Amino acid sequence: MTHSNILLLTGYIITLPIGTLIILSLLLPLFSASLFASIGNSYHSTSIPWIDNASECEHTGRNWSDRKCWDNEHNPMF
């Protein structure tokens, strides 16, 4: 191996991990932001056990159905 080949190989060995880290640091926020956005914006209906009458349920902006008070905007991250 010549000195130029050794220098070229050393340059590749140094540049490759640095370039990989830079690319990953740019791409990781894009993936994690989209993942948390999909989790954070998903809402599921859930019954509110401490509200047991229709008038109180509807007064809080929820829906009364099947003798239960339903919150249609329940966030699972809560």
Side-chain angles (χ1 to χ4, degrees):
M1 276 179 102
T2 64
H3 290 295
S4 61
N5 286 347
I6 292 173
L7 288 175
L8 188 62
L9 182 61
T10 303
Y12 283 137
I13 290 173
I14 292 171
T15 305
L16 185 63
I18 293 172
T20 303
L21 289 175
I22 291 171
I23 291 171
L24 287 177
S25 68
L26 294 173
L27 293 178
L28 186 62
L30 296 175
F31 290 123
S32 62
S34 65
L35 174 66
F36 288 121
S38 65
I39 291 173
N41 292 333
S42 63
Y43 294 99
H44 304 280
S45 294
T46 189
S47 66
I48 309 299
W50 59 88
I51 299 178
D52 56 2
N53 66 55
S55 63
E56 185 180 355
C57 177
E58 291 169 357
H59 177 71
T60 61
R62 296 178 175 106
N63 298 320
W64 184 258
S65 176
D66 298 326
R67 297 176 41 177
K68 292 183 181 180
C69 185
W70 292 95
D71 182 0
N72 294 325
E73 296 181 1
H74 181 75
N75 189 332
M77 297 297 287
F78 175 67

